[in-house]
Amino acid sequence: MTERDDHDTSAPFSKEEVAIIREAVLTPGASVECPRCGSALTLKERVVGETTVALLWVHCTTCRRNLIVRDLPERPPTG
């Protein structure tokens, strides 16, 4: 019998869940919920330059899954 590993890591999102999340984050005004547990997802973007989003880090604090969404469309200039 092996000892229990105290470093509990959650399984990643499935390909289908990734597609659902990606569609939600790319739809303006859409609520972005975790497809596993229904909790609101935390979104943090990394902006490169003044108008381009390089990537978006998506995290579920409830089930502890996360995802990085790349190749996002350019944001319109602000101002």
Side-chain angles (χ1 to χ4, degrees), residues 14-70:
S14 70
K15 288 182 181 182
E16 294 80 14
E17 292 166 335
V18 169
I20 291 167
I21 294 168
R22 184 172 175 82
E23 182 178 340
V25 299
L26 295 177
T27 304
S31 66
V32 184
E33 296 177 346
C34 177
R36 291 275 174 116
C37 69
S39 297
L41 293 172
T42 302
L43 308 175
K44 293 184 182 179
E45 62 185 20
R46 177 164 180 211
V47 179
V48 177
E50 291 184 22
T51 61
T52 305
V53 176
L55 58 88
L56 185 65
W57 180 62
V58 181
H59 178 73
C60 179
T61 56
T62 303
C63 64
R64 298 175 31 195
R65 287 173 171 79
N66 63 77
L67 167 70
I68 294 177
V69 179
R70 300 176 190 275

